[in-house]
Amino acid sequence: MTTRLRRHTATLVLVGVAVVAAVVCAVAARGAGPVDPVSWWFRGADEHVVATKSQYESWLLALHVAEVAAVVAVVALLAAVVTAVVSSRRRRTRV
């Protein structure tokens, strides 16, 4: 059992990274406010928004964090799949 877990450790870590990045992406997208292009479907988006410069910069920063976290989540998930496939193929050739 421990050898099987040891073989899949990299995959499990990458899946954990993908989950954490997805949560960060969701929270940051929610914090992006009206700057977020998809915010209209989970809360009413108003066309006319009055904000200070610091609020606008905060929204933009949250939007950029959400974009980077989404990219990290996708890359980590793809890496986890590749790692699992490679690990499975190595196991088959050793048997």
Side-chain angles (χ1 to χ4, degrees):
M1 183 70 174
T2 58
T3 57
R4 185 179 298 168
L5 281 177
R6 196 173 311 137
R7 188 174 347 146
H8 295 295
T9 301
T11 304
L12 294 173
V13 168
L14 287 169
V15 168
V17 167
V19 168
V20 169
V23 169
V24 167
C25 178
V27 169
R30 177 78 173 146
V35 178
D36 186 15
V38 295
S39 65
W40 59 270
W41 61 269
F42 61 85
R43 72 174 173 273
D46 191 12
E47 293 181 13
H48 307 288
V49 176
V50 177
T52 64
K53 182 181 177 184
S54 65
Q55 286 174 324
Y56 181 74
E57 289 173 350
S58 174
W59 290 338
L60 279 182
L61 179 64
L63 184 62
H64 293 313
V65 168
E67 291 168 348
V68 170
V71 170
V72 168
V74 169
V75 170
L77 195 59
L78 289 175
V81 169
V82 169
T83 305
V85 168
V86 167
S87 173
S88 173
R89 286 189 180 177
R90 283 186 182 166
R91 184 178 59 93
R92 286 185 192 160
T93 59
R94 289 182 188 169
V95 174

